[in-house]
Amino acid sequence: MANDKIRNFCIIAHIDHGKSTLADRILEKTETVAIRDMEDQLLDNMDIERERGITIKARAVRLKYTANDGEDYIFNLIDTPGHVDFNYEVSRSLAACEGAILVVDASQGIEAQTLANTYLAIEHDLEVVPVVNKIDLPSADPERVCNEVENVIGIPAMDAPKISAKMGINIEEVLERIVTDIPAPKGDTEKPLKALIFDSYYDSYKGVIIYVRIKEGRVKVGDNIRLMATGAVFTVVEAGFMDATSLVNNGSLEAGEVGYIAASIKSIGDTRVGDTVTNNDEPCDEPLPGYRKVNPMVFSGIYPADGAKYGDLREALEKLQLNDASLSFEPETSIALGFGFRCGFLGLLHMEIIQERLEREYNLDLITTAPSVIYKVTMTNGEIQYIDNPTNYPDPSLIQTAEEPMVKASILSPSDYVGSIMELCQDRRGIFKDMKYLDDTRVELHYELPLNEIVYDFFDVLKSRTKGYASFDYEMLGYKPSKLVKLDILLNGDIVDALSFIIHADSAYTRARKIAEKLKDNIPRQMFEVPIQAAIGGKIIARETVKAMRKDVLAKCYGGDITRKKKLLEKQKEGKKRMRQLGTVEVPQEAFMSVLKLDS
Amino acid sequence: MNTLGIYIHVPFCGKKCGYCDFYSVCYSKVQAELYVEAVSRNITHYSDNSRKVDTIYFGGGTPSLLRNDQLSFIIEAICNNFDLDPEAEITLEANPSTLTPEKLTDLRKAGINRLSIGVQSMCDAELKLLGRNHTSERASQAVYDAAKAGFTNISCDLMIGIPTQSSESLKESIKLLSELPIHHVSAYILNIEEGTPFDCKEIRTSLPDEDETAEQYLITVNELGRYGFAQYEVSNFARKGFESRHNSRYWMCDEYLGIGPAAHSCYKGKRFAVPRDIETFINSPVQPVTITDENPCGFEEYAMLRLRLSEGLSLSDVSEHRESIEKKLPPLIKAGYVKYDGEHVSLTPEGFLVSNSVIESLIF
């Protein structure tokens, strides 16, 4: 197949704007999938993705399309993750394409993530093809949305296809635009192999499957390939492409093509997204630009609710890591929670997804600690420490300066909510940068915010304050000195390590009070009074008390039904097993979780 | 050979009380006849003339709905099939409204020598709320008549934590009760049982809260003590020498044989229960039973039951657990839940109030 008959593209869309539905329609129209095999939203094949309407891992699929010019074209549709946590993965997916379809909801317009990803696509020199979707909705206003695209992004949009992916309206127009507007890939098949890894996953039979875009040269079964970042060398066992449901091994791939390589790779750690694949015997001079190792930004302790499940948890994390090299974990011990793992995530969504998958796919009952960012602490002796676990935060007297990571946040919202958004950002120590009107009713706000202020519940609160209309995106800005303190929570006078966290001194008092109240509500009355204290250093700044229970008695013993009485006691004892015994205090799992969700 | 207690569950009521989850059905004359025959059949089935029976307890239900001759028939059946102690304690639970002077005389004649009267409260508004079909005056009258009929061992039930009940009304009930010629009080905290008519929002929201109920319990212990009723179990108080011998069997892991639907037994090394179904009971030659415990009276059960008694648990009786129990005592003693004299571990009234937690922490 000549290169000029290939189109490599992705779809950029905000959650719910119809990316997956459009992908399904394209698959249908190109008859890649027989209608009877269609399962709604075929590309997103993880349960969680389907439920949340988001794409977590990139996927790619090859489609055949006969255009109006009578020629057959090969489309490689590369599905991209839509969320900021996977920003780097998005950028690598984009780097594998020549064009992007920008799907915008005809009633809602552009959202923050769409904008961020579109800018990213433009940065990568992609041809952006705007498409206005959901024109069947009564509230659709395609003209306004086209204007918005032109004004905000600065690309012509007045003749953008106006479609309804759901109803199957104007899908052909999109397919034709892919042919006419998106450039064919370039690349010399005679040069040494140079291929970009944009995704990988672990297959228990074939080992790691890497998804690649061949930029130069060719690769075929039997070749020795080298992954340039890690230096690992493998022999190609399969090379081919993905149709909608399976891998098709056709023995080779060449410049311009998108496909997969299987080479009996044991560890996904060897196959880093963004790395370059070359031929070990005839290597290229230098790797493709843009590779970096992704580092976790958010950390949290994950513990099995039942200590006996520690081994199961480790196994589950290992399995998840097979497919997700960005997940990191190492054993950690907490006095309160026992044995568990300190896990690193790309961001909040990534963290939630991992936790949910552990619970759902591996049937684990978990206790997680408050998410923490990495603090940079310069000690009085000049030594620099990076702290991702509040428990390890040094004694304040040994700290010269403490710094926290900052992000540049961009929020898109109807202008009605500007006031409450500003209030929220100010509460979260945000520094206002600028605000611009996208049109009469929509604004884009920029704030500089500490990452630790958004790791808890920022997005949830933002959503609730804007009735779900605001969208939010952020990128890392680096470290900034900050007045940080470690807040400890004491139950019955003893520090509960799993509840400690690092916070800005100005927010400490409010947060301390909220946590103490939450704990009071979530720790049941027990035989003894339980004082709850929040302290900075040795100083108590908030206090609540769970009063001792007064009545817990089975008074009746009529008729000698002793068995029932004994069973009730045994049940009570079983119930307590699910609680964490901290000294004399029994703390239910919910209490640990409750402090993670402090409503503003 | 150990002595034996026999419990007869009489599952008939004139009217079901809204808070009650004991098994009972509406009284019918025909069914009562068949029931009495079935009880007699079962007594014959368990017949063992070598066993000395020294307590009989008619519980319910409302056993006082049975006629004099029916009660006599059952007691005679026991007498014919077991070695009935002439000094046996024979208790009958009774609703005050059923206790006429004639009925009381009949009961004495039938051999009943102890009455447990369901007084519940001496405040008429509370009785009405509970759906009781008698007033406090009727209850007083019943007690006086019982004494007149020759009953020298009378117990009254008292309920704590009744909707709208206050410490004052409780104190008043106790005062009025103590002035009656009674010897024993069973004081229960009202517990809303799942599925009973009381298991509803209106009732739950009108109950005294946890702290008030606890306060009422302590008042009860204190006031009854003041009037000469010493606490000997979580819910039971007696003048000296009038502790319930039958109920003590439950707490001492002694044997008892239960007959009747929903009756429980601890007999010949097993605990077993009869299904809660009068028809099945009447229609079976021998009452069907479900084993609830193959191996009763182990340490946990023994300790659990002993700790419900004011006398407490003697650590010499459970010497292999002494160390582990002693280790757990200091915070419980400090909190005022437990007393320990170096041999007996016993719960204080405050400890009884949270006895589930205290006992659970001590024995598991």
Side-chain angles (χ1 to χ4, degrees), chain A residues 525 527-528 547 549-555 557-564 566 569 572-573 576, chain B residues 22 93 157 193 210-211 235 256 264 271 292 301 308 331 337 352-357 360 364:
Chain A
R525 288 171 79 166
M527 277 195 286
F528 311 103
K547 286 195 292 175
M549 68 159 80
R550 291 298 306 278
K551 183 174 80 81
D552 177 26
V553 55
L554 298 167
C557 211
Y558 267 126
D561 186 359
I562 305 301
T563 311
R564 179 181 175 213
K566 189 171 142 205
L569 275 194
Q572 186 159 347
K573 173 187 128 199
K576 288 196 176 162
Chain B
F22 288 107
E93 289 180 352
D157 283 351
E193 304 288 346
E210 183 178 334
D211 290 304
S235 307
Y256 50 95
H264 288 262
R271 287 193 190 280
T292 54
E301 199 173 282
R308 292 180 64 87
Y337 294 143
F352 282 137
L353 262 176
V354 290
S355 53
N356 286 355
S357 292
E360 183 236 290
F364 289 116

Side-chain angles (χ1 to χ4, degrees), chain B residues 92-114:
Chain B
L92 178 98
E93 289 180 352
N95 182 306
S97 65
T98 61
L99 296 177
T100 60
E102 301 74 49
K103 174 82 182 175
L104 284 158
T105 311
D106 283 352
L107 290 174
R108 280 298 294 150
K109 277 192 203 146
I112 307 294
N113 56 25
R114 184 174 182 270

Side-chain angles (χ1 to χ4, degrees), chain A residues 426-560:
Chain A
Q426 242 138 38
D427 284 353
R428 302 301 173 97
R429 299 188 284 128
I431 301 160
F432 176 78
K433 286 299 176 192
D434 60 52
M435 174 170 90
K436 67 179 180 214
Y437 275 82
L438 302 180
D439 59 29
D440 294 348
T441 57
R442 283 163 49 84
V443 291
E444 181 179 16
L445 288 137
H446 286 117
Y447 268 91
E448 208 176 295
L449 278 158
L451 181 62
N452 90 349
E453 293 286 346
I454 59 174
V455 292
Y456 289 92
D457 56 357
F458 182 83
F459 193 50
D460 292 341
V461 178
L462 178 70
K463 280 281 180 197
S464 73
R465 289 204 187 177
T466 61
K467 300 203 168 80
Y469 282 114
S471 61
F472 166 68
D473 196 16
Y474 65 86
E475 57 184 274
M476 301 308 298
L477 274 181
Y479 281 88
K480 197 171 159 180
S482 179
K483 240 172 29 183
L484 298 170
V485 292
K486 180 185 170 201
L487 186 66
D488 290 317
I489 304 295
L490 294 82
L491 291 182
N492 206 16
D494 297 324
I495 291 180
V496 181
D497 57 359
L499 292 175
S500 296
F501 56 95
I502 295 160
I503 188 167
H504 191 265
D506 295 349
S507 321
Y509 178 68
T510 323
R511 178 71 64 80
R513 252 187 19 216
K514 271 190 199 160
I515 289 189
E517 281 166 19
K518 276 274 185 186
L519 286 173
K520 186 192 170 196
D521 293 343
N522 282 279
I523 295 175
R525 288 171 79 166
Q526 28 209 285
M527 277 195 286
F528 311 103
E529 180 181 287
V530 182
I532 301 168
Q533 295 161 303
I536 296 174
K539 195 176 157 232
I540 307 296
I541 61 166
R543 186 193 161 102
E544 292 281 347
T545 305
V546 180
K547 286 195 292 175
M549 68 159 80
R550 291 298 306 278
K551 183 174 80 81
D552 177 26
V553 55
L554 298 167
K556 277 187 277 195
C557 211
Y558 267 126

Side-chain angles (χ1 to χ4, degrees), chain A residues 38-187:
Chain A
M38 285 286 297
E39 210 175 323
D40 271 350
Q41 309 193 345
L42 203 69
L43 278 178
D44 294 343
N45 52 17
M46 278 196 260
D47 279 352
I48 299 169
E49 291 185 347
R50 260 187 219 163
E51 275 168 34
R52 292 182 177 229
I54 48 171
T55 304
I56 297 158
K57 297 285 287 177
R59 295 284 186 278
V61 60
R62 177 180 288 203
L63 324 166
K64 212 165 128 192
Y65 176 63
T66 309
N68 290 347
D69 62 12
E71 300 281 344
D72 284 347
Y73 289 85
I74 292 287
F75 286 179
N76 289 305
L77 167 55
I78 296 170
D79 198 22
T80 53
H83 193 272
V84 57
D85 285 358
F86 308 103
N87 213 16
Y88 178 70
E89 294 190 0
V90 177
S91 82
R92 294 307 86 200
S93 291
L94 295 176
C97 305
E98 277 75 39
I101 299 173
L102 168 63
V103 181
V104 187
D105 183 303
S107 56
Q108 297 191 357
I110 297 170
E111 304 284 356
Q113 280 156 30
T114 336
L115 198 55
N117 285 339
T118 308
Y119 287 145
L120 208 55
I122 293 170
E123 258 172 55
H124 283 85
D125 284 330
L126 261 58
E127 184 65 36
V128 176
V129 179
V131 167
V132 180
N133 189 21
K134 302 198 186 180
I135 56 158
D136 55 309
L137 292 183
S139 57
D141 187 355
E143 294 304 311
R144 180 181 67 82
V145 169
C146 288
N147 263 319
E148 193 175 273
V149 171
E150 293 203 342
N151 293 339
V152 177
I153 302 173
I155 54 171
M158 291 324 285
D159 65 341
K162 295 169 185 63
I163 69 162
S164 166
K166 196 172 141 203
M167 315 291 286
I169 301 168
N170 283 345
I171 307 300
E172 291 82 0
E173 202 183 333
V174 179
L175 296 170
E176 283 302 313
R177 288 296 178 92
I178 294 168
V179 173
T180 55
D181 291 13
I182 294 176
K186 297 189 187 78

